[in-house]
Amino acid sequence: MRIVPHDQDGGAFFIAVIHKLSLLNENQVIKVRKTENLLSKNRTVKLQEQCQHRIVSEVLDDNKLLDEQTKLSVANQTSKDDNLTEVKMASDVEYSQTESGDRSRRMDKLDYQHKWKGIDPVLFFKDEAVIKNIVSFFGIEESFSLEGHLVTRSTDNARRIYYVSKAVQDILELNIQVGEQIKIASLGVKMFERHRSKDGCSCAYRLSYEGLSLLFPYMRKRILHASPVDFQHLLQYRTINFARFADARFGEEAASMMPGCCVVVLREGNIMPYAVDLKEPMT
């Protein structure tokens, strides 16, 4: 099946479902393992060659720099006393140690980029303090567990947090156990994203519209109910002062809330949750 852009506002992706009809027999398993071992060895050899080439280039550059420093030291030796020479030698030792540490960090970064070239890794989000803060801030019920179901694509200070089901969680854990042989391009539903502005909000993350319909039935805090007129104003204008809402009570409830993300629900007709950032003026 192909999902064309005007159906889902996407990139016209093709979707295929593959069914496994039978288990591999013993000969096929052996053949697959040999192929995997060969590919693994080829990747290791290629990486070693790249690393060796990088090291040789850096060593040559270091040698040129040391030659220039030696020439400069000889030219100035007659005009410097023994104390200055000792200071120069100590400085050279410190410089060499610093360069060695920088080279080691560059090689670690090269290994990491080679492994995940062109795609970010999938990491389980395990910051318990942040998770508890999100649960408390939005009043998420215990029946909707977040622990073990949250993943991110960032190595540190996650900007976006995605929610995955138990089945996907099991697959991710198994993939980690086998050395992350599956490179995952996309998964989960974006549930939270870090605030861009710093308005003194006690929760560092806001709700994402993509995951709002999944999370909203389990929320007990940060919910406002708006009239059709005020709901339309929220959709129409980027910034609204609390006092300018048609429903004075709605404006008062919004003003009494702590700064941060909240959900506004259409009071009449079909329930339509809408996530907004609450501050003065309200946006």
Side-chain angles (χ1 to χ4, degrees), residues 41-107:
K41 290 180 180 179
N42 291 339
R43 285 195 296 266
T44 302
V45 171
K46 186 176 180 180
L47 179 60
Q48 289 176 347
E49 292 176 350
Q50 292 177 349
C51 294
Q52 290 175 356
H53 177 74
R54 183 75 174 269
I55 293 174
V56 170
S57 299
E58 291 182 350
V59 170
L60 292 176
D61 292 339
D62 291 345
N63 289 338
K64 291 180 181 179
L65 182 60
L66 291 174
D67 290 340
E68 293 177 0
Q69 290 178 343
T70 302
K71 292 178 181 179
L72 181 61
S73 178
V74 171
N76 296 334
Q77 185 173 4
T78 56
S79 61
K80 294 182 179 180
D81 55 19
D82 295 340
N83 290 335
L84 291 177
T85 302
E86 292 177 359
V87 171
K88 175 63 178 173
M89 292 174 61
S91 182
D92 288 342
V93 172
E94 293 177 358
Y95 173 81
S96 176
Q97 293 175 346
T98 302
E99 282 295 297
S100 177
D102 292 342
R103 186 184 301 115
S104 177
R105 287 191 292 270
R106 287 197 296 269
M107 294 308 301

Side-chain angles (χ1 to χ4, degrees), residues 181-243:
Q181 297 183 18
I182 300 177
K183 301 300 183 288
I184 301 172
S186 178
L187 85 165
V189 178
K190 186 169 68 173
M191 189 72 72
F192 309 103
E193 51 189 345
R194 182 173 288 275
H195 280 292
R196 294 182 179 179
S197 61
K198 298 180 180 179
D199 297 315
C201 178
S202 60
C203 184
Y205 289 87
R206 68 184 306 276
L207 299 172
S208 175
Y209 187 75
E210 290 88 335
L212 184 57
S213 59
L214 181 64
L215 182 63
F216 177 70
Y218 302 92
M219 288 180 54
R220 295 296 174 263
K221 295 181 181 180
R222 313 290 301 177
I223 300 175
L224 296 172
H225 294 81
S227 65
V229 175
D230 288 331
F231 197 89
Q232 181 181 353
H233 287 168
L234 287 172
L235 297 175
Q236 187 174 1
Y237 301 106
R238 182 176 180 84
T239 302
I240 305 176
N241 292 323
F242 293 136

Side-chain angles (χ1 to χ4, degrees), residues 157-194:
N157 198 19
R159 291 180 56 190
R160 301 179 184 88
I161 301 176
Y162 301 84
Y163 182 87
V164 297
S165 64
K166 181 63 170 61
V168 176
Q169 175 190 353
D170 294 340
I171 294 175
L172 289 177
E173 292 176 345
L174 180 61
N175 190 40
I176 294 174
Q177 294 176 7
V178 298
E180 296 179 296
Q181 297 183 18
I182 300 177
K183 301 300 183 288
I184 301 172
S186 178
L187 85 165
V189 178
K190 186 169 68 173
M191 189 72 72
F192 309 103
E193 51 189 345
R194 182 173 288 275

Side-chain angles (χ1 to χ4, degrees), residues 113-167:
Q113 291 177 342
H114 177 80
K115 181 178 180 180
W116 295 103
K117 186 175 181 180
I119 188 171
D120 293 328
V122 178
L123 308 171
F124 280 104
F125 188 81
K126 299 181 178 180
D127 193 327
E128 294 184 1
V130 173
I131 295 176
K132 290 181 179 179
N133 179 249
I134 291 175
V135 171
S136 175
F137 188 75
F138 294 106
I140 302 174
E141 294 182 352
E142 295 182 358
S143 57
F144 190 86
S145 177
L146 296 179
E147 295 185 5
H149 293 273
L150 299 181
V151 298
T152 181
R153 308 303 294 253
S154 307
T155 54
D156 52 14
N157 198 19
R159 291 180 56 190
R160 301 179 184 88
I161 301 176
Y162 301 84
Y163 182 87
V164 297
S165 64
K166 181 63 170 61

